[in-house]
């Protein structure tokens, strides 16, 4: 692990005034990757924390590798930034979710190469942004903390005040292929694009036949159209486009697979009117729009194009078709050459300019066949002019996004971009539960080694250990320190049941490890998802993964065999407690594959209430008086009357959606059994009271000096 910070020596201990044992302090680190945050690396004397009042709790032990939460995002780029996906297409960052396959890079031999990776986490934030413009016209909007790969290594967009971090300057050359200057967008859903695609596809590889054959009584006319392809993507698109034009076709097998060729299907029609309509559709119109030319290139590339060893070609022997290809490429300023004809008369139109030109072609033509778009294994070579020509600050603040990937980078607007890495309890260190909780992160760097030692003790009784009851074990800092894999392996190896509560989508990284652990010990996984209104979620949890990203994580865990429980906490009076809001939340939870739901009303603990009320006064001043009435005093849980009122709304809806945990058939046969782990303990306790699964407060309270709270203490 390499930090761009410094060891602070004697000043480290002063950074944590409440730390009793100063000898346990390793160092305090500030790093440009987490601007505004300080990581206090400490040596922990113990890993397992015994919960006071455990006789009344569903678990007796916890592990907290972190104190504080780094879910407040640092790196970020515009949601409109185009990300290179694994299928070779570029999609806006706003449209991608956790689990999506994209392209990153890895060094292999003498070159860095493009490789397939996945999005492991995604965050939103709002902050100051800059527009970086490159010589080829590529523009990127990013925060000043964001980093890009240059010919001289990784550099941030801007410097910091003390001038001590690598940052972009004019004429720095970025690595990648760029996307060029903004151009009028091609509307691939337009009628013109559709008809252009049909023209390129059918003129390139289709067959239209008109003929006659005599019979005993009369001569019959034959009219036939057929298009046979080995790629279903292009065949399905063509059939769909024809159907939108009122032409119905049928699909049938055309050729079976053999040792030398792939299987092929065909679409066809023998209806005279349909064949005539197809001929009319594929004719070159007198006035061809940009959308028509883009569609034509997409169709003819799907029909006759190839992209092998970095060379994109379109082959045909029809002179008129070759001329149409050349004309369309020229309209979009895509460099190309037409090669001399071969002996059989076939000519190749070849795209020149390397990967930048190929990616421009794919972005404009939008062909259907994914296998022809692959860039995996291609060496990173900056053929395009990617020199930085300007870096300008944008007025105000902007909504920005960032992601964590398996390769620690991704391709943003055609250049290599570094990714992101993945309150009350802070007061024991004399740090507050608001800004300090987000910016002063205590990291127990030796927690795995200490845990392994404690688990080997003969006195250890292998009781369930809960993670995520204080701060989120899968917060962004985990992407840097990677403590959770070691913790999971140690617990499973010792035969200790595991329970994890998180709102971090970074847990998807460890699903294979959790599956292995579940073969040895009971494993409970819970996802905290409180807000199902996007705007409210952004306002309350600005640095946390989106609701949809967390629901997608629930699905990934469920698909892996885990009976996921969702903590619908906190339900917030006058904001998320309506029947419609609860019903919508439960439907989305059910659709994601969760097995159970635990709900609870907002609970404001000491040290948290002032920060929450400050937020409420800024975001919803109309509710301040109501909340002061509901939550009087320094610390308050929701009044009994409100909790009873909420139960009458929530319990029937939970049962209606089948999320009350009564169906034990959902449990896989890997040691994940009802009655084990702390969520099932809650379930059993509530069943003895004859009710649906309910928590009247958010999190778990104890009577001792420490407080055990879930992963988003600001709200709890």
């Amino acid at each position: 692990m390499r930090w761009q910070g410094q060891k602070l020596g004697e000043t480290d201990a002063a950074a944590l005034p409440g730390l009793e044992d100063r000898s346990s302090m390793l160092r305090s680190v500030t790093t440009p990757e987490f601007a505004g945050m300080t990581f206090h690396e400490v040596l922990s004397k113990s890993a397992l924390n015994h919960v006071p009042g455990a006789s009344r709790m569903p678990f007796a032990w916890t592990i907290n590798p972190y104190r504080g939460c780094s879910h407040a995002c640092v790196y970020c780029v515009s949601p409109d930034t185009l990300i290179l996906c694994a299928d070779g297409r570029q999609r806006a960052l706003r449209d991608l979710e956790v689990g999506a396959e994209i392209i990153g890079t890895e060094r292999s031999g003498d070159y860095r190469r493009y490789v397939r990776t996945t999005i492991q986490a995604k965050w939103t934030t709002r902050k100051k942004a800059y527009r970086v413009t490159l010589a080829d016209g590529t523009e990127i909007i990013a925060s000043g903390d964001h980093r890009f790969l240059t010919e001289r290594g990784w550099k941030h967009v801007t410097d910091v005040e003390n001038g001590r971090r690598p940052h972009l300057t004019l004429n720095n050359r970025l690595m990648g292929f760029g996307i060029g200057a903004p151009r009028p967008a091609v509307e691939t859903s337009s009628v013109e694009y559709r008809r252009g695609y049909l023209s390129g596809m059918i003129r390139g590889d289709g067959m239209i036949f008109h003929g006659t054959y005599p019979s005993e009584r009369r001569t019959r006319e034959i009219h036939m159209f057929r298009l046979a392809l080995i790629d279903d993507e292009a065949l399905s698109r063509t059939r769909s486009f024809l159907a939108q034009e009122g032409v119905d076709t049928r699909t049938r097998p055309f050729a079976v697979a053999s040792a030398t060729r792939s299987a092929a299907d065909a679409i066809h029609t023998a209806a005279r009117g349909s064949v005539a309509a197809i001929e009319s559709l594929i004719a070159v119109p007198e006035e061809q729009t940009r959308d028509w030319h883009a569609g034509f290139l997409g169709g003819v590339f799907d029909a006759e194009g190839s992209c092998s060893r970095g060379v994109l070609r379109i082959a045909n022997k029809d002179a008129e078709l070759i001329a149409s290809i050349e004309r369309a490429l020229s309209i979009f300023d895509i460099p190309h050459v037409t090669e001399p004809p071969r002996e059989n008369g076939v000519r190749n139109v070849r795209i020149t300019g390397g990967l930048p030109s190929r990616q421009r072609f794919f972005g404009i033509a939008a062909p259907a066949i994914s296998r022809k778009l692959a860039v995996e294994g291609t060496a990173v070579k900056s053929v395009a002019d990617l020199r930085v020509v300007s870096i300008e600050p944008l007025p105000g603040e902007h909504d920005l996004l960032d992601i964590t990937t398996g390769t620690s980078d991704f391709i943003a607007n055609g250049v290599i971009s570094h990714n992101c890495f993945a309150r009350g309890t802070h007061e024991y260190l004399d740090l507050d539960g608001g800004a300090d909780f987000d910016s002063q992160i205590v990291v127990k760097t030796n927690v795995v080694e200490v845990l392994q030692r404690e688990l080997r003790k003969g006195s250890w009784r292998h009781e369930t250990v809960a993670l995520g009851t204080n701060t989120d074990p899968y917060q962004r800092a985990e992407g840097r320190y990677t403590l959770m894999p070691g913790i999971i392996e140690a617990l499973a190896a010792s035969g200790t049941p595991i329970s994890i509560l998180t709102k971090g989508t970074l847990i998807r990284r460890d699903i294979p490890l959790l599956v292995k652990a579940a073969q040895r010990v009971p494993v409970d996984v819970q996802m905290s998802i409180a807000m199902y209104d996007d705007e409210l979620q952004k306002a309350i949890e600005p640095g946390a993964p989106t609701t949809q990203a967390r629901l997608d994580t629930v699905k990934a865990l469920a698909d892996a065999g885990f009976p996921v429980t969702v903590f619908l906490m906190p339900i917030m009076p006058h904001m998320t407690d309506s029947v419609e809001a609860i019903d919508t939340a439960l439907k989305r939870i059910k659709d994601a594959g969760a097995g159970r739901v635990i709900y609870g009303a907002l609970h404001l603990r000491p040290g948290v209430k002032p920060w929450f009320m400050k937020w409420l006064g800024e975001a919803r001043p109309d509710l301040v008086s109501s909340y002061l009435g509901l939550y009087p005093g320094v610390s308050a849980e929701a009044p009994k009357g409100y909790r009873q009122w909420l139960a009458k709304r929530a319990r029937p809806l939970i049962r209606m959606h089948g999320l009350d945990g009564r169906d034990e058939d959902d449990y896989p046969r890997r040691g994940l059994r009802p009655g084990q782990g702390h969520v099932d303990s809650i379930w059993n306790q509530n069943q003895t009271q004859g009710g649906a699964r309910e928590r009247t407060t958010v999190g778990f309270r104890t009577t001792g000096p420490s407080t055990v709270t879930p992963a988003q203490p600001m709200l709890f």
Side-chain angles (χ1 to χ4, degrees), residues 107-219:
R107 182 166 292 280
S108 177
D110 295 333
Y111 291 99
R112 181 181 289 270
R113 296 183 181 276
Y114 296 104
V115 298
R116 183 183 296 250
T117 187
T118 58
I119 296 177
Q120 297 178 343
K122 182 179 179 181
W123 293 275
T124 63
T125 189
R126 184 173 179 82
K127 63 193 307 182
K128 186 174 178 59
Y130 297 80
R131 177 183 287 109
V132 179
T133 304
L134 309 182
D136 76 331
T138 297
E139 294 183 354
I140 313 160
I141 294 176
S143 71
D145 298 303
H146 205 85
R147 288 195 295 169
F148 296 99
L149 185 61
T150 74
E151 81 282 12
R152 296 185 178 181
W154 293 102
K155 292 192 175 185
H156 294 267
V157 172
T158 61
D159 200 358
V160 288
E161 290 184 5
N162 59 15
R164 297 172 62 182
R165 72 178 182 186
H167 62 282
L168 295 178
T169 57
L170 299 185
N171 291 321
N172 278 158
R173 187 181 299 275
L174 272 56
M175 304 300 291
F177 49 83
I179 59 172
R183 293 178 173 83
V186 171
E187 188 57 61
T188 56
S189 61
S190 68
V191 173
E192 288 80 5
Y193 178 89
R194 181 169 70 232
R195 292 179 178 177
Y197 183 89
L198 291 172
S199 180
M201 168 59 74
I202 296 172
R203 289 168 61 198
D205 210 20
M207 186 273 290
I208 294 178
F209 175 78
H210 298 283
T212 61
Y213 76 92
S215 65
E216 294 181 358
R217 297 183 178 180
R218 60 188 177 88
T219 299

Side-chain angles (χ1 to χ4, degrees), residues 8 51 86 95 104 142 249 315 394 463 491 531 711:
L8 301 181
V51 179
D95 298 329
T249 58
L394 301 179
E463 298 173 87
L491 292 172
M531 310 298 160

Side-chain angles (χ1 to χ4, degrees), residues 642-659:
Y642 177 80
R643 287 183 276 126
Q644 292 174 337
W645 174 86
L646 181 61
K648 291 179 181 179
R649 289 193 167 194
R651 289 179 180 180
L653 290 171
I654 290 173
R655 285 194 289 267
M656 182 184 74
H657 286 280
L659 291 168

Side-chain angles (χ1 to χ4, degrees), residues 153-431:
W154 293 102
K155 292 192 175 185
H156 294 267
V157 172
T158 61
D159 200 358
V160 288
E161 290 184 5
N162 59 15
R164 297 172 62 182
R165 72 178 182 186
H167 62 282
L168 295 178
T169 57
L170 299 185
N171 291 321
N172 278 158
R173 187 181 299 275
L174 272 56
M175 304 300 291
F177 49 83
I179 59 172
R183 293 178 173 83
V186 171
E187 188 57 61
T188 56
S189 61
S190 68
V191 173
E192 288 80 5
Y193 178 89
R194 181 169 70 232
R195 292 179 178 177
Y197 183 89
L198 291 172
S199 180
M201 168 59 74
I202 296 172
R203 289 168 61 198
D205 210 20
M207 186 273 290
I208 294 178
F209 175 78
H210 298 283
T212 61
Y213 76 92
S215 65
E216 294 181 358
R217 297 183 178 180
R218 60 188 177 88
T219 299
R220 293 190 175 184
E221 294 183 350
I222 301 174
H223 307 278
M224 187 170 62
F225 158 75
R226 184 187 69 208
L227 175 67
L229 297 171
I230 64 173
D231 293 285
D232 183 65
E233 293 166 306
L235 197 66
S236 296
R237 180 188 284 189
T238 303
R239 184 178 185 184
S240 174
F241 280 2
L242 286 172
Q244 291 176 56
E245 295 288 350
V247 178
D248 293 327
T249 58
R250 295 183 178 181
T251 304
R252 62 177 174 81
F254 180 75
V256 297
S258 69
T260 58
R261 68 181 182 186
S262 302
D265 289 334
I267 58 173
H268 66 98
T269 180
R272 180 175 183 174
S274 294
V275 175
I278 291 172
E279 288 180 307
S280 176
L281 286 170
I282 67 174
V284 179
E286 291 185 5
E287 294 185 5
Q288 301 123 44
T289 64
R290 289 173 60 88
D291 285 357
W292 188 93
H293 282 295
F296 173 80
L297 289 174
V300 76
F301 177 76
D302 278 342
E304 301 283 65
S306 66
C307 188
S308 177
R309 296 184 178 181
V311 180
L312 190 157
R313 297 185 178 91
I314 305 174
N316 204 276
K317 63 169 61 176
D318 183 275
E320 184 178 345
L321 191 68
I322 293 292
S324 294
I325 296 170
E326 293 172 327
R327 184 163 52 252
L329 292 173
S330 297
I331 284 174
F332 292 108
D333 296 321
I334 298 175
H336 62 279
V337 296
T338 303
E339 299 173 349
R342 300 198 293 266
E343 291 184 1
N344 60 2
V346 173
R347 305 182 74 181
N348 286 317
V349 179
R350 175 167 51 85
I351 306 298
T352 60
L355 185 58
S357 295
R358 298 200 304 274
Q359 290 302 123
R360 275 194 56 217
F361 175 87
F362 293 147
I364 291 168
I369 301 175
S370 297
R371 66 177 177 84
K372 296 183 179 182
L373 312 183
V375 298
E376 289 180 70
T378 302
V380 175
K381 297 180 180 179
S382 292
V383 179
D385 190 355
L386 301 182
R387 290 175 297 113
V388 176
V389 295
S390 69
I391 304 171
E392 54 181 316
L394 301 179
E397 293 187 338
H398 296 259
D399 291 323
L400 302 172
L401 296 172
D402 204 7
I403 54 179
T404 291
T405 74
T407 57
S408 296
D409 65 3
F410 56 96
I411 315 304
N413 280 4
V415 296
I416 301 173
S417 165
H418 207 292
N419 71 189
C420 199
F421 302 103
R423 310 224 183 248
T425 55
H426 243 38
E427 294 173 357
Y428 85 102
L429 294 173
D430 288 351
L431 300 173

